[in-house]
């Protein structure tokens, strides 16, 4: 079958250009490699061919396809050699002026029908296209690294892009074995925008002294099912990549508080603690393995106090059943006795506020995160308030560890770690829908394939309850008085009437 684009030019043959060239040739297109540095293009050709040899060796690629793909890959020593291309994909340095100048030159070489695309991850498609003679045939075609393995590509329409241009790129993406998602030209497009919450909210929790890096990573992996904690992830991507993305999206959105970066990453970047690649990031690496301190074991408590549970706790009946299963002596009075460990399970509110509002003795009050059903998590998270007595904290820790489940004890904050991070993810995703950047369906696909979250952000919101997420945000806004926790209208409306976040309005 003839590919939608018979001859494809790749300009810029670094990490991204190589990957795109590889899958374009595999899809049946003739591919021309052009780079300002001729040696780079030659090296790219060699490395792509070596990659195919490796795939054949491992039995992951058919020998015939590898030989045919190799025959379709050619060097283009001069830009003029791209004249007969019906698609040119640019993957050069991320500088607006350089990209604009490249496309102006390309327009003098290729036909007016040739589709032109940029793999930019942070520049505006509309801005790159400004000044082109035919901006209607120009679009964003944003792949992820490593291209052959990251099976999603964002097709981005600038203000003057023709729908037919996006359609052709979408078809071609499928032909390459990738899943295309359509995005409007906005800062970070879909994936780099939706990914803003995970790291930034985790950093904010650290900056408040609530929990350390390793504790936050453990909580988010064990409670929500993320493959990597936010700090492990930042160590993998490296701060010289992830911190500038945080800054870029924040600045481009005119300092929208939801995207506010952290001084922690700015400082660590300046200090060269970039992550795995420099041997030290949030963790230190010895022979490629992160050095993580042992978790604190549950304390031994000789005499367990009786337990009283606030009637306003989230999932109260489940919490009572859990306590029963753990063999706790549960008090049933309207208020706790003088010796009772007092448990509260708020959504969004901090333990201090709950103790004060419910007139509980803060010294005996401990919080537990009940956003997620206990049975579906591998870890329980408790929070103290500044007045919590050590014996009460230890009693709660020992009690909830009785069945061998992991327990983390953190300091007081509005929303526990999971509530804060999940609510921030769902809120930013909701705002992407509110702005019409993409369809809810494409958002879920883009995040699943581009970020590898255990669930799409809207599905995550549905699982934990849009109304609960909304409650977390409203209450956190009260605790912090910070506009970053302001719920998106998209979430506010759906949460208020208990509607699925994936619901498409007619
Ligand atoms: P890279 O630095 O590995 O390769 C860039 C190549 O472009 C080099 O070979 C360089 O010689 C060539 N080049 C620079 N200016 C040129 C010009 N004026 N004309 C022709 N060739 C030129 O860069 P990388 O990482 O492949 O990134 C390329 C583009 O892809 C950037 O826009 C980047 O933002 C974007 N991107 C990068 C991702 C990544 O993870 N590396 C992910 C998604 C997008």
């Amino acid at each position: 079958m003839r590919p939608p684009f018979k001859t494809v030019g790749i300009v810029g043959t670094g990490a991204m250009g190589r990957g795109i060239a590889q899958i374009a040739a595999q899809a049946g297109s003739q591919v021309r490699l052009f780079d300002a540095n001729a040696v780079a293009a030659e090296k790219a050709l060699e490395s792509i061919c070596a990659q195919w040899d490796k795939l054949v060796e491992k039995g992951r690629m058919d020998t015939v396809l590898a030989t045919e793909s190799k025959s379709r890959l050619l060097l283009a020593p001069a830009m003029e050699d791209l004249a007969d291309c019906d698609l040119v994909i640019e993957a050069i340095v991320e500088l607006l002026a350089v990209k604009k100048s490249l496309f102006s030159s390309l327009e003098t070489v290729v036909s007016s029908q040739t589709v032109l695309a940029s793999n930019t991850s942070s520049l505006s498609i509309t801005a790159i296209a400004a000044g082109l003679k035919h901006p209607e045939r120009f679009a964003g075609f944003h792949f992820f690294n490593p291209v052959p393995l990251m099976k999603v590509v964002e097709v981005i329409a600038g203000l003057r892009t023709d729908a037919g241009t996006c359609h052709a790129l979408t078809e071609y993406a499928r032909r390459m074995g990738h899943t295309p998602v359509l995005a409007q030209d906005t800062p970070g497009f879909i994936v780099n925008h939706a990914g803003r919450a995970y790291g930034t909210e985790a950093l904010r929790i650290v900056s408040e002294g609530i929990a350390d890096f390793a504790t936050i990573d453990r909580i988010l992996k064990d409670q929500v099912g993320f493959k990597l904690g936010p700090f492990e992830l930042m160590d993998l991507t490296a701060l010289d990549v992830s911190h500038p993305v945080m800054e870029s999206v924040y600045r481009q959105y005119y300092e929208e508080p939801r995207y506010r970066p952290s001084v922690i990453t700015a400082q660590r970047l300046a200090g060269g603690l970039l992550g795995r690649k420099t041997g030290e990031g949030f963790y230190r690496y010895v022979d490629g393995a992160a050095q993580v301190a042992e978790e604190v074991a549950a304390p031994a408590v000789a005499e367990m106090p009786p337990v009283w549970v606030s009637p306003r706790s989230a999932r109260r009946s489940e919490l009572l059943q859990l306590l029963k299963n753990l063999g706790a002596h549960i008090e049933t009075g309207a208020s706790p006795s003088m010796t009772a460990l007092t448990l509260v399970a708020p959504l969004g509110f901090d333990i201090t506020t709950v103790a004060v509002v419910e007139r509980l003795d803060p010294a005996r009050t401990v919080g537990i995160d009940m956003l997620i059903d206990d049975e579906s998590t591998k870890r329980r998270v408790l929070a103290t308030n500044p007045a919590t007595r050590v014996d009460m904290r230890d009693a709660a820790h020992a009690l909830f560890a009785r069945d061998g489940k992991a327990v983390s004890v953190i300091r007081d904050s509005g929303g526990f770690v999971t509530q804060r991070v999940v609510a921030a993810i769902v809120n930013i995703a909701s705002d992407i829908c509110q702005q019409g950047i993409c369809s809810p369906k494409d958002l879920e696909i883009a995040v699943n394939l581009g970020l590898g979250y255990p669930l799409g952000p809207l599905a995550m919101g549905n699982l934990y309850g849009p109304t609960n997420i909304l409650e977390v945000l409203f209450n956190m806004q009260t605790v912090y008085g910070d506009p970053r926790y302001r719920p998106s209208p998209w979430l506010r409306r759906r949460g208020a009437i208990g509607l699925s976040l994936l619901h498409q309005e007619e």
Side-chain angles (χ1 to χ4, degrees), residues 163-356:
T165 303
C166 290
H167 181 72
L169 289 172
T170 299
E171 288 298 299
Y172 190 50
R174 290 208 179 92
R175 172 79 194 204
M176 292 195 287
H178 273 47
T179 303
V181 287
L182 279 175
Q184 292 304 317
D185 183 21
T186 47
F189 311 129
I190 308 174
V191 173
N192 283 338
H193 184 167
R196 283 315 93 232
Y198 194 46
T200 36
E201 193 57 28
L203 283 160
R204 178 129 168 125
I205 296 169
V206 169
S207 73
E208 291 169 17
I210 287 154
D212 59 25
F213 308 132
T215 303
I216 294 172
D217 279 350
R218 283 190 194 107
I219 292 173
L220 289 163
K221 287 192 289 183
D222 288 351
Q223 286 209 315
V224 191
F226 286 100
K227 278 188 228 110
L228 291 177
F231 298 100
E232 290 169 328
L233 183 65
M234 282 187 272
D235 269 2
L236 188 69
T237 21
L239 286 187
D240 56 342
V241 174
S242 46
H243 184 78
V245 175
M246 293 186 216
E247 292 225 326
S248 160
V249 172
Y250 177 62
R251 301 266 176 250
Q252 288 188 74
Y253 268 113
Y254 296 106
E255 310 190 349
E256 160 62 46
R258 281 194 195 108
Y259 313 126
R260 195 186 309 138
S262 166
V263 292
I264 296 177
T265 44
Q267 190 194 42
R268 296 175 89 85
L269 172 60
L273 283 79
L274 305 186
R276 273 184 180 274
K277 71 180 183 189
T278 52
E280 185 168 7
F282 294 104
Y283 297 95
R284 267 191 343 102
Y285 294 86
V286 176
D287 298 328
Q291 307 297 295
V292 190
E294 281 282 312
E295 258 194 274
V296 186
V301 173
E303 209 175 317
M304 190 60 75
V307 183
W308 182 89
V309 178
S310 159
R312 292 158 91 170
S313 298
R315 293 185 193 271
R316 184 166 188 268
S317 52
E318 283 172 52
L319 180 53
L320 286 169
Q321 186 58 51
L322 171 63
L323 287 165
K324 224 164 145 189
N325 297 346
L326 293 170
H329 169 64
I330 303 167
E331 289 191 354
T332 53
S335 53
S337 70
M338 290 308 288
T339 54
L341 164 64
T342 305
L343 284 180
V344 295
L347 292 177
F349 275 129
D350 56 337
I351 313 309
T352 310
T353 302
V354 175
V356 172

Side-chain angles (χ1 to χ4, degrees), residues 11-17 34-37 40 90-94 98-99 102 119-121 142-145:
V11 181
T13 57
M16 297 305 287
F34 174 72
D35 199 291
N37 173 0
E90 164 274 314
I92 65 165
V93 57
E94 187 77 339
V98 183
K99 288 198 198 276
L102 172 85
N119 184 50
T120 180
S121 51
H142 182 215
F143 289 88
F144 296 83
N145 195 14

Side-chain angles (χ1 to χ4, degrees), residues 54-93:
K54 226 192 274 168
L55 289 171
V56 170
E57 229 171 80
K58 287 188 187 160
R60 294 211 205 122
M61 194 180 189
D62 181 63
T63 320
V64 179
L65 177 61
T67 311
E68 284 177 2
S69 300
K70 279 183 190 174
S71 74
R72 288 193 282 262
L73 196 58
L74 287 179
L75 292 175
M79 192 184 283
E80 287 66 29
D81 298 319
L82 303 177
D84 65 343
C85 288
D86 28 29
L87 166 66
V88 178
I89 305 170
E90 164 274 314
I92 65 165
V93 57

